[in-house]
Amino acid sequence: MGKNLLSKIKITSLKIIKSSKGDVLRVLKKKDLKNWNFSEAYFSKVKFGKIKAWKLHLKMTLNLVVPHGKVKFVFFSEKKNIFQSVVLGEKKYARLTVPPKIWFGF
């Protein structure tokens, strides 16, 4: 791992378009894809109080969004032996970009 790999985790605020019939939540725009080699998209459900950990992707950059509820993401730096956490959800709607080689759970 690099010296400060956790500092490469990026949080991008996302737009919520309010509507009386139900809000529209933007995930990404075409310009967001300019530096990505996009391959796949997945959705994951997390049962209340459950933990999905630990995960490590060696090549893949992840872009995580929480459109409903609230999820706490915890990242671990092996080199510095430190943890960092980020909470995303309806009140903090954002995209979390996680580069490869970072251990995390949620």
Side-chain angles (χ1 to χ4, degrees):
M1 278 197 192
K3 284 186 179 181
N4 194 4
L5 200 53
L6 295 185
S7 68
K8 294 183 178 184
I9 296 169
K10 189 168 99 177
I11 300 172
T12 305
S13 293
L14 297 173
K15 186 174 184 177
I16 298 175
I17 303 161
K18 295 290 185 184
S19 171
S20 62
K21 295 180 182 179
D23 297 345
V24 177
L25 290 78
R26 178 181 287 155
V27 175
L28 57 93
K29 296 184 280 189
K30 185 177 180 178
K31 74 175 191 171
D32 296 333
L33 296 172
K34 67 181 175 182
N35 295 321
W36 295 359
N37 183 7
F38 182 81
S39 297
E40 300 174 315
Y42 293 91
F43 293 91
S44 180
K45 289 185 177 182
V46 184
K47 292 185 178 184
F48 182 79
K50 298 297 179 181
I51 298 171
K52 290 187 173 185
W54 286 99
K55 300 176 183 312
L56 174 71
H57 293 274
L58 298 176
K59 296 180 181 179
M60 194 169 18
T61 296
L62 301 176
N63 289 283
L64 307 164
V65 178
V66 180
H68 182 72
K70 180 170 65 171
V71 176
K72 180 179 184 180
F73 295 89
V74 178
F75 303 94
F76 178 66
S77 168
E78 287 180 296
K79 187 165 185 104
K80 295 195 172 217
N81 198 32
I82 58 170
F83 291 90
Q84 176 179 315
S85 65
V86 175
V87 177
L88 295 183
E90 294 172 69
K91 293 186 179 184
K92 184 175 180 182
Y93 185 60
R95 182 176 56 245
L96 189 58
T97 303
V98 183
K101 300 178 184 172
I102 295 178
W103 284 100
F104 75 101
F106 52 93

